[in-house]
Amino acid sequence: MRNVFIFNAGPAVLPEPVLESTSKAAINFANTGMSIMEVSHRSKEFDALMNETISLLQKIMGIPENYKVLFLQGGASLQFAMVPINLLGAGKVADYIDTGSWSSTAIKEAKKIGKVNIAGSSKAEDYTRIPSADELSLTPDAAYCHITSNNTIYGSQWQSFPDTKGVPLVADMSSDILSRQIDVSKFGLIYAGAQKNMGPAGVTVVIIRDDLVDLAPENTPTMLKYSTHVSKNSMHNTCPVMAIFVVHEVLNWIIDQGGVSAIEKINEKKAALIYEILDSGDFYRGTVQKGSRSRMNIPFRLPSEDLEKEFLAGAAKKNLVGLKGHRSVGGIRASIYNALPIEGAQRLADYMVEFAKGKA
Ligand SMILES: *Cc1c(COP(=O)(O)O)cnc(C)c1O
């Protein structure tokens, strides 16, 4: 057992059993005598792994049969472009809800492709909350409506999803996929960079409903069409073999934990340990309004930047690492993804109490 607790926002902590099985496969994958980095993506061993990874994800998330699962490259950031390239047909409008840095980056990209309507925004309030349902101005015949389910930098999270009345709901779930149960059938498309909650950097999961696969204009470059990747089972070109292997291991680990429902309960406990302290005095100040708080990324401030520096240095001495807030907002951010053990959240909570007492 290692004794460092990793609060990195991404790439982020991975479960120890996953690191162990990956280190074995780095030498000898599936008794081939070859490393997972050396096998062909066209080999029968890897093909089996790819199909098993897809069926594990289908099972764990309850993905209905009329959806395809893709493992792509280019990160969530490429999806900011691929979504409008494929789904935002000429003369159509896409609704975007702006809840933080990643949403606004997605909006910037979509505007290069077509017409965007900002159907809701909390920008004027420094992204301290998720807009409520009655604040949204959704377009009845929009090509799709895009949300960021969890705002990794600002620390807010959709608690329930907007009813788009038949318009496909597209969600960037990079930082909370597999952290809570969701009804996939409510979404047209879900995407997530793996490096927060489901694996290493280098692979991005896309879950897409059948009717949205083949909507890209004819002249779209091959690699940017969802239909290319669907028809080739994500192996049009060399897929990120090693990263997909790690996702496979993470999915098995989730099953060993009791599935997403069990993980969700632990995540709630982990988050409660930190939020209790933010709410119990004036020393720490949570930056997100109560009804919008994330269970994955918890940003907070101390009374001064000097104290924040001291807090981070003291945390590192206790092997609590990766707690510095995003450079664009400062402060502290505790990212407590699935793979962070509850002991890690408890140690951070204990340290927070101790640090505040020392300054009283
Ligand atoms: C990290 C993150 C991204 C960017 O992901 P890349 O894979 O680095 O492109 C996008 N959206 C959200 C919500 C994120 O947390």
Side-chain angles (χ1 to χ4, degrees), residues 9-10 74-80 102-103 148-153 172-176 191-196 202-204 297 337:
S77 298
L78 183 58
Q79 294 311 307
F80 294 163
W102 293 117
S103 318
T148 312
S149 60
N150 182 71
N151 296 283
T152 324
I153 294 172
D172 175 359
M173 291 197 187
S174 294
S175 51
D176 69 348
Y191 63 90
Q195 68 273 21
K196 276 101 187 202
V203 64
T204 303
N297 310 94
Y337 298 122

Side-chain angles (χ1 to χ4, degrees), residues 306-351:
D306 283 343
L307 280 169
E308 286 168 352
K309 270 192 203 135
E310 198 182 323
F311 178 89
L312 289 170
K317 279 200 191 124
K318 292 190 175 297
N319 292 327
L320 307 170
V321 303
L323 286 162
K324 196 170 193 290
H326 191 270
R327 60 192 181 279
S328 63
V329 294
I332 314 291
R333 170 176 53 172
S335 296
I336 52 171
Y337 298 122
N338 287 355
L340 179 87
I342 193 158
E343 296 77 44
Q346 186 63 60
R347 289 252 210 120
L348 173 61
D350 292 345
Y351 170 62

Side-chain angles (χ1 to χ4, degrees), residues 53 107 111 184 227 276 280 287 322:
T53 309
I107 289 166
K111 281 183 173 167
V184 175
S227 58
E276 252 168 48
S280 66
T287 52

Side-chain angles (χ1 to χ4, degrees), residues 64-70 72 79 82-88 143-144 168 170 187-190 206-218 220-234:
E65 284 195 355
N66 59 324
Y67 287 75
K68 297 290 185 289
V69 174
L70 303 174
L72 307 181
Q79 294 311 307
M82 268 179 84
V83 166
I85 285 171
N86 283 266
L87 307 185
L88 184 46
Y144 60 89
V170 174
F187 297 85
L189 189 153
I190 292 167
V206 173
I207 301 164
I208 182 171
R209 206 172 61 206
D210 284 342
D211 59 298
L212 303 175
V213 166
D214 209 3
L215 300 178
E218 201 50 48
T220 305
T222 311
M223 281 294 287
L224 299 181
K225 282 183 174 174
Y226 289 123
S227 58
T228 301
H229 303 290
V230 167
S231 68
K232 299 288 174 61
N233 200 25
S234 303

Side-chain angles (χ1 to χ4, degrees), residues 54-133:
I54 293 168
S55 44
L56 282 170
L57 192 65
Q58 286 168 330
K59 182 175 148 193
I60 292 173
M61 289 182 72
I63 301 173
E65 284 195 355
N66 59 324
Y67 287 75
K68 297 290 185 289
V69 174
L70 303 174
F71 294 104
L72 307 181
Q73 301 190 54
S77 298
L78 183 58
Q79 294 311 307
F80 294 163
M82 268 179 84
V83 166
I85 285 171
N86 283 266
L87 307 185
L88 184 46
K92 290 250 187 173
V93 60
D95 282 344
Y96 275 75
I97 302 172
D98 184 10
T99 54
S101 310
W102 293 117
S103 318
S104 56
T105 311
I107 289 166
K108 239 194 235 160
E109 288 297 289
K111 281 183 173 167
K112 295 179 181 178
I113 309 297
K115 210 170 155 213
V116 167
N117 168 49
I118 307 299
S121 174
S122 50
K123 190 176 180 179
E125 292 156 80
D126 285 331
Y127 298 121
T128 51
R129 66 185 183 92
I130 300 290
S132 63

